[in-house]
Amino acid sequence: MPVLARYVKTNAFLAIVAAILGLWGLQLVFSYLSELDALSDTYTMGEALKYILYRSPYFLEQFIPTGALLGAVVGLGLLANKSELIVMRAAGVSILRIVAWVLQPALLFVIIALAINQFVLPTTNQLAREINSGDQSSSLVTSVRGYWTVQPRYVPAANSTDDAPSFNIDGKDVLYIDYADTDGNLGEVKRWHLDNNGNLESAIRAEGGVYSPQPERKSQFDPAEVYQYQWSLRNMTELTINQSRDASQSKKPSDILRLPFAPSSVYLLTRKADDLSVTQLYEHRQFMRAQGGRSLEHELAFWQKLLSPFAILSLVVVACSFVFGSLRTHSLGLRIVVALLFGLLFSYVQDLVGFVSLATGISPLFMVLLPIIGSAAFGFYLIKRQM
């Protein structure tokens, strides 16, 4: 029995590796051909190759489920074509035991997928987006990214003193932060100041910012206590929109940016959901709960990445059902075609339920589990019919 187990596991493992590498290689070739159309004086072949290199871990992670499905079909199909599965069944090996043997090498790819999501994609996706955003910088059509917020602008009142400070609200600031890292460094920062009537007065752009902790303050009310985290902006430029104020009242724009969030939270808020690891998505979820808000996009990405191992295993179960179920008498080529179609269908259903969750507000956990449970139930049903 140990010899049979090792033999089945080896065949399944090698077939899954070949399927994943094959699909991954095809995707890299198609990506290379796609980037050739985007080459220009500012987007060279070297940058295109770097972009494909940074995106390759994402492609690999995306094809692991389909590759596991296809590899399991091929591995078991080769054994079935040689009547080796029939010999195993005649020797008293149950179908469920053979399925368990195939699932064991699939667990290795589950770990690989989780490792890529956790440690690789947050860095490589960001590097790829930096190259892509640089190429799209001159485009008239850009995507909305980064962190946007509106916060009141406090100024000291006329009767304010050091012992009893008081503040008035002088309009609002519309703030945009392009990028932030965990060390507190900011990318491009834009700030639009609106007066109390909602009229635009000025626009400020800074190339970046550095986190600078400030000393603790104690007062009855001080905005610095609410917006206790501050950044020093660098290379600022200002555009004054409303010139109606007296020139004597004009002030030099402040190079200090204050936020109520720590640098680690700003980092989470400026990143796309796909660019965050599982633990970072969990931190984002807890942060939004503490703020009384919710981001369905990040919750959906969290459950998709966390439950991706079960998606892989459910597809392997379906692959086993194709070999032992109704397709057991058909050729290996037909099984491969059916496996690819089912893998594509599973991927499309996953995307569809994700869009439904975002559009309707239905629990992302339930919508992510729905295709996984349906796939596993379908596979076990087909296997059960042959037992």
Side-chain angles (χ1 to χ4, degrees):
M1 195 65 67
V3 175
L4 287 178
R6 185 166 57 251
Y7 181 68
V8 173
K9 293 175 188 178
T10 302
N11 276 272
F13 173 77
L14 294 177
I16 292 174
V17 170
I20 293 176
L21 293 180
L23 293 174
W24 187 35
L26 286 175
Q27 180 61 45
L28 292 179
V29 172
F30 291 148
S31 298
Y32 171 75
L33 296 176
S34 175
E35 293 302 315
L36 289 179
D37 294 335
L39 295 180
S40 63
D41 294 337
T42 58
Y43 187 59
T44 62
M45 176 62 71
E47 291 180 332
L49 292 176
K50 286 175 60 178
Y51 174 77
I52 296 173
L53 176 64
Y54 291 143
R55 289 292 285 173
S56 60
Y58 173 78
F59 297 146
L60 176 61
E61 187 271 338
Q62 289 293 303
F63 280 113
I64 284 180
T66 305
L69 168 66
L70 183 60
V73 169
V74 172
L76 287 179
L78 292 175
L79 296 179
N81 287 348
K82 299 176 183 178
S83 301
E84 291 173 307
L85 291 181
I86 297 177
V87 174
M88 293 180 192
R89 294 292 309 281
V93 181
S94 65
I95 293 179
L96 291 180
R97 175 168 291 186
I98 298 176
V99 172
W101 289 343
V102 178
L103 287 174
Q104 291 179 33
L107 290 175
L108 175 62
F109 297 94
V110 166
I111 298 174
I112 293 175
L114 287 176
I116 292 175
N117 270 316
Q118 179 66 28
F119 303 108
V120 181
L121 291 187
T123 301
T124 56
N125 278 358
Q126 177 60 31
L127 293 173
R129 290 187 191 280
E130 289 177 0
I131 296 176
N132 189 260
S133 62
D135 177 51
Q136 300 293 333
S137 58
S138 60
S139 175
L140 296 177
V141 180
T142 58
S143 59
V144 178
R145 60 182 185 136
Y147 172 62
W148 293 83
T149 187
V150 178
Q151 58 187 35
R153 187 170 186 175
Y154 294 96
V155 295
N159 58 350
S160 176
T161 62
D162 293 338
D163 296 331
S166 60
F167 299 86
N168 295 329
I169 296 179
D170 181 25
K172 295 180 179 180
D173 282 338
V174 179
L175 179 65
Y176 165 73
I177 300 175
D178 174 70
Y179 169 76
D181 60 23
T182 54
D183 296 328
N185 300 312
L186 300 182
E188 183 183 33
V189 177
K190 296 180 181 179
R191 182 165 54 189
W192 296 267
H193 178 55
L194 309 177
D195 61 18
N196 291 322
N197 296 322
N199 300 315
L200 179 63
E201 289 190 338
S202 63
I204 298 173
R205 177 186 178 276
E207 293 184 0
V210 179
Y211 178 64
S212 55
Q214 60 178 339
E216 295 184 359
R217 302 186 183 187
K218 295 182 180 180
S219 63
Q220 294 179 350
F221 173 73
D222 189 344
E225 292 184 358
V226 179
Y227 298 88
Q228 56 180 313
Y229 304 98
Q230 69 177 25
W231 283 259
S232 298
L233 302 179
R234 56 182 175 82
N235 298 334
M236 289 177 45
T237 56
E238 181 189 23
L239 175 63
T240 302
I241 307 299
N242 190 349
Q243 300 276 357
S244 62
R245 288 187 173 184
D246 186 6
S248 61
Q249 296 179 352
S250 62
K251 297 181 181 179
K252 181 181 179 180
S254 174
D255 60 351
I256 298 298
L257 171 66
R258 288 188 172 90
L259 294 172
F261 314 127
S264 58
S265 299
V266 179
Y267 167 78
L268 297 176
L269 292 172
T270 56
R271 300 294 294 272
K272 284 182 171 291
D274 292 339
D275 296 342
L276 295 176
S277 64
V278 177
T279 55
Q280 290 171 341
L281 287 170
Y282 178 77
E283 293 173 2
H284 184 280
R285 186 164 175 256
Q286 296 301 107
F287 172 77
M288 294 300 294
R289 282 187 174 182
Q291 298 296 320
R294 186 182 185 187
S295 174
L296 285 175
E297 181 183 0
H298 287 78
E299 287 187 27
L300 179 64
F302 170 72
W303 290 117
Q304 285 177 338
K305 293 187 177 185
L306 186 64
L307 298 177
S308 61
F310 298 99
I312 297 173
L313 296 179
S314 69
L315 289 177
V316 173
V317 172
V318 172
C320 296
S321 71
F322 288 162
V323 177
F324 293 109
S326 58
L327 297 178
R328 68 187 185 280
T329 59
H330 293 78
S331 65
L332 179 60
L334 179 61
R335 294 173 189 160
I336 293 176
V337 171
V338 174
L340 285 174
L341 292 177
F342 187 87
L344 290 174
L345 177 63
F346 182 83
S347 177
Y348 293 151
V349 171
Q350 276 191 316
D351 294 339
L352 176 61
V353 296
F355 292 139
V356 171
S357 176
L358 295 177
T360 62
I362 300 176
S363 170
L365 172 60
F366 171 76
M367 299 305 290
V368 172
L369 280 175
L370 196 60
I372 296 176
I373 295 175
S375 174
F378 176 71
F380 278 117
Y381 169 75
L382 293 181
I383 292 175
K384 189 69 175 177
R385 291 180 57 183
Q386 304 304 317
M387 295 178 60

